[in-house]
Amino acid sequence: MDQIAPATKATPTLPDAQTVTSVTHYTDRLFAFRCTRPLSLRFRSGEFVMIGLLGDNGKPLLRAYSIASPSWDEELEFYSIKVPDGPLTSRLQHIQPGDQIILRPKPVGTLVLDALLPGKRLWMLATGTGIAPFASLLRDPETWEKYEQVVVMHTCREQAELTYGRDLIKALPDDPLIGELVGDKLLYYPATTREDGQYTGRVTDNLSSGKVFADLGIAPLDPATDRAMVCGSLAFNLDIKKVLENAGLTEGANSSPAEYVVEKAFVD
Ligand code: A2P
């Protein structure tokens, strides 16, 4: 059985320590938690930071985690997988309110609105915990000010794994800050690949077959108006890039904005 690292509790001398304020377990593979936010931390919605715990050797064991909370939130939120033998997540999954984690306050990343050229429709394409940066972007007023329509395609193996994203999407219309901005701009396409549900099949297949356009009653991808942000496993990211490139979209970066951007979701 995995042990909680003794260093996570009552260790006031942790470098860059932040305190966990809440933890929610969604499935035996997925959990989310919130923690205090360093006063100095400014970030753009969609960026990631390095977070972790002290390793057995006394050195910080850090991994890249997308910040799932919006930039205006006074706390920080993260959404994580639990890997039974993962060096960090096997221990991180046991954190509880009051515990400390390490957080390096240096946000970076390409999944930011500035890395995209202006457009009309924004696609958020995620598998698994890849929904995390979109949880931040969906709660950022700028997303809704910049786009006429936002399509969220989130695909997981099973229904229960969609819960975090589904709850977030459901709460958007009532959000005091962005509820009115969202209006009828949001289209949500939650799909599963190993269980039946409202929609089934991989994001890649549903885009290349045109199924998602038919299901939602919208026009196919057009590089003149469509922009996309991608976050998922390495295999997914590689495959979806081909789909987007086939549709005529080119990859952008902070230094050279274009039609789509990609980030790898945290995986171990
Ligand atoms: P599938 O069930 O067909 O493997 P995981 O939990 O393994 O990260 O997978 C999350 C979701 O991403 C699953 O629905 C999975 O579908 C899908 N997926 C995995 N690899 C790819 C890929 N290369 N292209 C598209 N979807 C993928």
Side-chain angles (χ1 to χ4, degrees), residues 29 127-128 155-157 193-194 202-204 233 235-236 239:
R29 292 207 312 146
T127 59
T155 303
C156 295
R157 297 178 189 186
T193 47
R194 304 192 191 185
R202 290 182 160 197
V203 180
T204 39
S233 64
F236 166 68
D239 288 345

Side-chain angles (χ1 to χ4, degrees), residues 225-246:
T225 49
D226 281 299
R227 303 292 172 258
M229 293 178 144
V230 173
C231 190
S233 64
L234 191 57
F236 166 68
N237 288 1
L238 290 174
D239 288 345
I240 196 82
K241 277 171 83 151
K242 288 182 221 151
V243 176
L244 296 174
E245 299 271 343
N246 278 343

Side-chain angles (χ1 to χ4, degrees), residues 159-229:
Q159 288 295 325
E161 297 174 335
L162 291 167
T163 306
Y164 176 79
R166 201 189 287 278
D167 288 354
L168 179 107
I169 296 275
K170 260 195 220 151
L172 286 179
D174 298 324
D175 187 299
L177 184 66
I178 54 148
E180 276 188 30
L181 288 173
V182 175
D184 57 2
K185 290 183 173 183
L186 174 65
L187 292 176
Y188 177 46
Y189 197 87
T192 42
T193 47
R194 304 192 191 185
E195 197 176 71
D196 274 344
Q198 184 185 8
Y199 302 114
T200 54
R202 290 182 160 197
V203 180
T204 39
D205 294 337
N206 288 333
L207 271 173
S208 18
S209 68
K211 183 173 187 303
V212 61
F213 312 123
D215 284 345
L216 297 177
I218 56 176
L221 289 176
D222 175 354
T225 49
D226 281 299
R227 303 292 172 258
M229 293 178 144

